[in-house]
Amino acid sequence: MAEKRDYYEVLGIQKGASEDEIKKAYRKMAKMYHPDLHPDDPEAAEKFKEVNEANDVLSDPQKRQRYDQFGHAGVDPSYGAGAGAGGGFGGFGGFGGFSDGEGIDLGDIFDSFFGGGMGSRSGGSNPNAPRRGADCSVSATISFMEACKGTKLDISFMRTEVCGICNGSGAKPGTTPRTCPDCNGSGKIRFNQRTMFGTMSSTKTCPKCGGRGKSIDSPCDNCRGTGRETKKTTVTVTVPAGIDDGQILRVAGQGNVGTNGGQRGDLNVRISVKKDPLFERKGFDVWTEIPITYSQAVLGDEITVPTIDGNVTYTVPAGTQPDTIFRLRGKGIQKLQRDGRGDQLVKVTLEVPKNLNKKQKDALIAFSEQLTEKNYEKQSGFMDKLKKFTDDLKKNFGM
């Protein structure tokens, strides 16, 4: 059996590292060797597996304690085959009452003692079974109106495909993979291991063929024996009306190709929506602000209101106050994948005129002199409250 690297060395940490240091190191190393970043790199895949194995042990206090005391043999009974009685557990010898005969599978006993996790005890899942391809993730930016109305996008991205040279076999054209001589095509090998519980019969993935059951003597030059290659592709995606900023649109079956005949992964498109100069979205409602003049607010007027369906005319009633909000029902955004639309809310803001000339000022003064308290209900009410407040101060505090 190949010599395993020290788990602390794999994660690049010291033996006395804290739990937080282990988590941080694991995230860093897992990201470095993640299969999504190295889809056709067997070496990176092996290192990713090694990093996960190290984290599985060091992040578990009980497993870590056994590892620190006994090394790899403390967490992997198959490690160190041929080490003699004790099976790598150093000086423990066989347990009385257990047979030393070959062919006894004591995996369940290890599970009951160590809570499972003995990945090398069994062959794991069938490496030749169909496997779904990994998902692809991309980002796309659309306008506010495209989000409201829906649109179609041509998305270009990189994804893995079946190698066009070897048609997925991994072998150079003119050659074919042969049955692996070590496992006779089964993808697994069986071995016997003496442990402190007796002799255990186990299976593991064949190291020569990686569990495929076939050996490639002349790898394809294009895919280097993987049977897959990375290509740029373009997919037309339908964006539904009502999609919002930050939502992810899943396009089924447009991701990376699967292995062993497995289905493709999905394409996940993260949508970003540009800001609009006129509209703001809140849920499925659309908000807009429209400035009106003092005369329009006092006398009332017809104003033009932009909506996502085009301009409409709205009558502002006489005496409209600043920041009044009007509602246009059903003029909002289509509710995503269901019936109905939101509303449009129109906030009118009062624009106070600036830079008045003398004639305009005189006219405004003359106009103001004609007004009474009845024309200013809010101001009149405020003045009444102010007078009461002042009287109370004088009466109670002498102010």
Side-chain angles (χ1 to χ4, degrees), residues 56-126:
D56 179 65
V57 172
L58 299 184
S59 63
D60 186 312
Q62 293 182 346
K63 291 181 182 179
R64 183 179 181 183
Q65 182 180 10
R66 295 199 302 272
Y67 177 73
D68 288 345
Q69 185 173 0
F70 301 113
H72 292 292
V75 292
D76 186 352
S78 68
Y79 186 79
F89 276 78
F92 272 87
F95 261 42
F98 288 94
S99 169
D100 282 340
E102 295 186 358
I104 299 175
D105 193 338
L106 301 181
D108 291 337
I109 297 176
F110 274 93
D111 284 347
S112 66
F113 271 82
F114 300 136
M118 298 299 181
S120 59
R121 176 179 63 81
S122 65
S125 59
N126 180 10

Side-chain angles (χ1 to χ4, degrees), residues 214-279:
K214 295 181 180 180
S215 179
I216 299 175
D217 296 326
S218 300
C220 171
D221 293 331
N222 185 51
C223 66
R224 298 181 182 180
T226 64
R228 298 185 299 171
E229 62 178 324
T230 302
K231 287 185 175 181
K232 185 176 183 179
T233 188
T234 300
V235 173
T236 300
V237 175
T238 299
V239 180
I243 198 164
D244 203 354
D245 182 66
Q247 289 187 316
I248 294 177
L249 183 62
R250 184 176 67 87
V251 186
Q254 292 294 343
N256 291 314
V257 69
T259 56
N260 302 323
Q263 65 180 359
R264 281 187 177 275
D266 298 333
L267 171 63
N268 297 312
V269 185
R270 184 180 181 86
I271 299 296
S272 295
V273 181
K274 296 178 182 178
K275 290 186 177 181
D276 190 89
L278 288 176
F279 304 114

Side-chain angles (χ1 to χ4, degrees), residues 179-199:
T179 301
C180 175
D182 287 16
C183 65
N184 294 321
S186 68
K188 300 178 182 179
I189 58 174
R190 178 176 289 275
F191 65 97
N192 295 322
Q193 169 64 42
R194 290 179 61 83
T195 72
M196 64 181 181
F197 299 108
T199 300

Side-chain angles (χ1 to χ4, degrees), residues 42-59:
E43 183 178 351
E46 189 63 32
K47 286 190 177 294
F48 183 72
K49 178 181 177 182
E50 185 182 43
V51 167
N52 277 283
E53 183 179 325
N55 179 67
D56 179 65
V57 172
L58 299 184
S59 63

